[in-house]
Every structure is written in C-alpha cells, then in structure tokens.
Amino acid sequence: MRVFWKTFGCRVNQVETQALRERCEAPGAAEAASFEEADACVVNTCTVTAEADAEALRLLRRISRRNPAARLIVTGCLATRDPGSVREAAPHAEIVGNAEKAGLPALLGCSPVPASFGVTGLRSRSRAFVKIQDGCNMGCAFCVIPAIRPALSCKPWPELLAEVNGLVAAGRPEIVLCGIRLGRYLSRDEAGRRLDLVGALERLLELPGAFRLRLSSLEITDATDRLLALMGASGGKLCPSLHLPLQSGSTAVLRRMRRWYSAEFYRRRAEAFLAAVPKAALFADVIVGFPGETDAEHAESLAFAEDAGFSGLHVFRHSSRPGTDAAVLAPLPERTQARRAAQWRALDERLRAAFAARLVGQRRVVVPELDGGQALTEDFAAVRLSVPAKPGLLPVAVTAPGLAAPAGG
Ligand code: SF4
C-alpha cells in the first residue's frame, strides 16, 4: 500500500505526522510522492486561520476529484473543530479527531503511536523535532486552539529522556523541543521530584554527544531568569534564539486580545534575554489588524517592534475564528489590514537584513540541512555554505549576508 502524507500547520502537528509516518513505515506501507499515485492519503489539518482551513479543504477536494479510489483519512485541528466542512469537501473521508489521532495507524493496519507521539528521528532531516507538551487553556481572544486542544499534557520525563537519547544516538545534531505551551512542561524525575522545563533542559544538556537543543515558540512569561541563565551558560548547547510571540506592541490591544502581559513587560524581558545570552536572537509573531486596532495603536505597535531588539518577525493578518471572543468583533476594512500588513512586512525585511549584516565576520556553529548547502546557525540565521557539508555541528565563518564557509575547529 502506498500512502500519501500531508501536514498543515504548526510544529506540533508536524511532529505528530512524523510519529504516525514512522509507525506506518515498517509494516510495508510505502510512501507515495503524490496523492494521485496513492492507495491511501492521510491529511493532518490546521485551523489556526481561515486560510489554513481553505488550503486543507482545497486539497481534500482535489484528492476526492482526482483519486476517488484512494482511501482518505483526515485528522488534525480542522477535522476536530469542523468535521462537517471536511465531509462536505470529501464525502468519503474518514475523520479522526485529535483525541483519537494516536490510534490512526490502526486504520492502515499498523499499531497506534504512544499518546505522547514520540519519534525516532530516523526519517527526519538533520534537525529533529520532539513534542514535549500539548494543549492550552489560556483563551486569548483571537485563538481557536483552546477549543481544539484544551487539555494540558506533557511527555513523561522517562519517555522524553529516552527519545532524546535515541535521537542523539541516531546522530541528530539538533533537537528542537516543541509544544503548544512549551513553558508549561511539567513532569517528575526518576526520584519523583518535580521537573519543569528548565529542570528538564538541565538534565538533557548533561547528556553526552555532539548535539544541541533548541526551543520552539515560547511565551514571554516563560522566558524566566532561570531559563535565560541556563541558556547563557550553555555555550550554545541550548541555542540562543527565542521565538516569543508579541502579537501587539500596544498594551491596550494586548488587553483586548486577552494577552496577560503588557508591552512594557515584554520589553523588559526581551532586554533581559538580549543582555543575559551571548549571540541572542529574538523573533516574534505579530497579529496585524486585530478588530478595533486604531491607527494610533498600530503606529505604537510598529514603533515598539522597531527598537525591541528583534532579528525577525512572523507577520499574520488577523483571521476571525468561529467560537473565539474576537469572532463577534467587527473586522477592520480589508484596505486597512492590507496597508498595515505591508508596513509590518517591510519592518520584518529591514530587521532580517540588519540581522544578516550583523553576522558578517562572525563565527557560528551551523547544522547543515540534508542537501548540504543550506544550514542554520545557533541564533537561527539561515546561511548557504560555500562548500556543501554533511549534517552535524559545523563551525563556520559568516563571509557575507546569508553566506558562510567552514572555519575548522
Ligand atoms: S495564542 Fe493564547 S490561547 Fe492560543 S495557544 Fe497561545 S496562549 Fe493559548
């Protein structure tokens, strides 16, 4: 049986697909390069924006039209939130909600994955992603995630330790820990002692082997002094880049978004990170055109982001999600949203260009991708290598913006 896999959305969804694929690989389910040649298609959907919904539904319609004989299994956040829209797009789809996702391989004759979605990394790229936490119950006004993944759960420490050990033994040079609320990681160690994210990182950083750890998106209130101190003292083994969602640089808008920090608080923590961690690089998400955002608030937000020390931004236009508090608010005119989004994107380009220029003449350690040409520095700059290299930890000198050459020990 040939299986076509397609994943939309965040790192957590990507890791979950990876765990499912690994489980379905062994008993002879070969992978199909395209859905046209597949006997079964598994689509893991996202619903974080209206565009994410539309993209997934477009694919489901195409699969139904062009390969109606293939079995179609649809899972993920859209399938959980709105199974009706999935059925409408693909009436023959088998729908598997997030709560049953771990059992999905059974539909293909394979055994279920553990509820914590552990991966072996044997089929991953040079960077391996490990999901250590799931769920959020914060209720930000724009966000649909608490309606879909409301229960907080964490990978038990023994499983996390075994998974990371396995990835290091398999030669993965970079391991990225991810979760919906990564900072809420909580487990118990072998002696039954409480182990939070920093405690788990301390233990993982002690493992022998040539590897480094990276954190995926983290909330600003989880960037504690303990975490920054650990990162700063790790000598790059805990990568010095953080992705801390800002959403808005206007405290009034943050309040209406039901975020739990002020712009001033964010600035203080960002400064603490940049001061405490050598080679620190800071990235953030921003939401453009939240309902009711005035021109003055937009300008305030943009000005905040100009000088908060960011190396790059991920810019999202506000997308009204059914069932969220913001869904009942009148959206801003399309023209206003488009104009503001263009200003944010221009700022992002300036910040990224300045970051790339800052690195020139400096040394970094990169992890090359499997093609050997592209690589990622510890502070999350993408560079092209002058000489392709195998995946591993490779010291380089940055010779020009976006370019690096091997630099020896
Ligand atoms: S945006 Fe808010 S509600 Fe959504 S996942 Fe993040 S913290 Fe939870």
Side-chain angles (χ1 to χ4, degrees):
M1 181 172 52
R2 290 155 308 164
V3 185
F4 171 76
W5 298 86
K6 175 69 188 177
T7 314
F8 293 96
C10 68
R11 281 288 171 215
V12 168
N13 231 24
Q14 309 278 346
V15 177
E16 289 175 351
T17 299
Q18 193 188 332
L20 297 170
R21 282 168 94 149
E22 286 178 356
R23 189 51 63 113
C24 292
E25 206 167 46
E31 298 216 350
S34 71
F35 65 76
E36 283 93 346
E37 65 190 49
D39 303 304
C41 301
V42 180
V43 181
N44 192 359
T45 58
C46 169
T47 189
V48 79
T49 61
E51 184 48 39
D53 289 355
E55 249 188 280
L57 293 172
R58 257 194 314 271
L59 176 68
L60 296 179
R61 278 188 220 100
R62 276 171 52 216
I63 294 175
S64 297
R65 221 174 30 243
R66 296 208 212 146
N67 190 355
R71 208 166 155 193
L72 176 55
I73 301 169
V74 186
T75 187
C77 293
L78 174 61
T80 304
R81 184 185 69 75
D82 187 7
S85 68
V86 170
R87 245 176 245 117
E88 205 175 298
H92 72 300
E94 297 164 72
I95 298 175
V96 179
N98 278 342
E100 291 81 42
K101 196 189 262 185
L104 187 151
L107 296 176
L108 298 169
C110 307
S111 53
V113 297
S116 56
F117 286 90
V119 297
T120 63
L122 293 179
R123 50 158 305 112
S124 68
R125 298 176 303 166
S126 54
R127 302 165 70 222
F129 293 84
V130 172
K131 174 186 160 186
I132 69 167
Q133 185 278 339
D134 199 352
C136 177
N137 55 9
M138 291 305 285
C140 298
F142 52 82
C143 183
V144 74
I145 288 175
I148 304 159
R149 296 177 181 263
L152 299 181
S153 65
C154 297
K155 182 164 284 177
W157 166 249
E159 280 181 44
L160 171 56
L161 181 61
E163 193 171 337
V164 172
N165 260 324
L167 290 165
V168 173
R172 297 295 166 266
E174 184 173 310
I175 295 164
V176 186
L177 303 182
C178 57
I180 304 285
R181 280 295 314 273
L182 193 54
R184 289 291 176 95
Y185 181 79
L186 196 58
S187 186
R188 298 254 163 213
D189 70 8
E190 300 82 350
R193 285 181 301 247
R194 194 175 174 277
L195 201 67
D196 64 4
L197 177 65
V198 177
L201 287 168
E202 282 167 352
R203 293 285 308 273
L204 294 175
L205 289 168
E206 283 168 5
L207 296 176
F211 75 99
R212 68 191 185 193
L213 295 172
R214 188 186 295 281
L215 296 175
S216 76
S217 184
L218 193 73
E219 293 294 349
I220 188 77
T221 40
D222 297 325
T224 59
D225 285 342
R226 262 176 83 221
L227 176 67
L228 302 187
L230 181 67
M231 192 176 265
S234 77
K237 193 160 185 180
L238 178 55
C239 289
S241 75
L242 281 179
H243 178 169
L244 302 170
L246 169 67
Q247 311 306 14
S248 174
S250 153
T251 297
V253 176
L254 287 170
R255 295 268 179 267
R256 298 203 296 275
M257 288 176 165
R258 297 197 203 290
R259 301 289 284 174
W260 56 94
Y261 51 86
S262 64
E264 198 36 54
F265 177 86
Y266 189 103
R267 186 190 298 280
R268 282 202 306 274
R269 295 312 302 159
E271 284 170 1
F273 167 53
L274 296 170
V277 179
K279 301 180 190 159
L282 177 59
F283 300 85
D285 294 339
V286 289
I287 293 176
V288 181
F290 185 72
E293 184 191 59
T294 64
D295 278 338
E297 287 165 343
H298 163 67
E300 182 190 357
S301 188
L302 210 51
F304 177 94
E306 281 269 5
D307 69 353
F310 291 122
S311 292
L313 298 167
H314 299 262
V315 178
F316 300 93
R317 283 171 69 163
H318 174 71
S319 180
S320 179
R321 301 286 61 212
T324 60
D325 288 357
V328 297
L329 304 175
L332 292 183
E334 170 62 30
R335 252 197 352 265
T336 308
Q337 288 202 39
R339 176 172 43 79
R340 291 181 186 175
Q343 288 174 311
W344 276 106
R345 296 214 166 91
L347 173 58
D348 172 46
E349 274 172 34
R350 287 202 302 279
L351 292 171
R352 285 181 194 274
F355 177 41
R358 252 190 342 263
L359 294 187
V360 176
Q362 298 201 31
R363 292 197 166 214
R364 288 293 183 268
V365 176
V366 297
V367 169
E369 293 293 341
L370 277 188
D371 77 355
Q374 285 290 345
L376 199 61
T377 66
E378 58 270 54
D379 44 355
F380 210 65
V383 290
R384 175 149 282 284
L385 297 174
S386 58
V387 184
K390 287 202 209 96
L393 292 171
L394 177 74
V396 297
V398 180
T399 51
L403 286 176

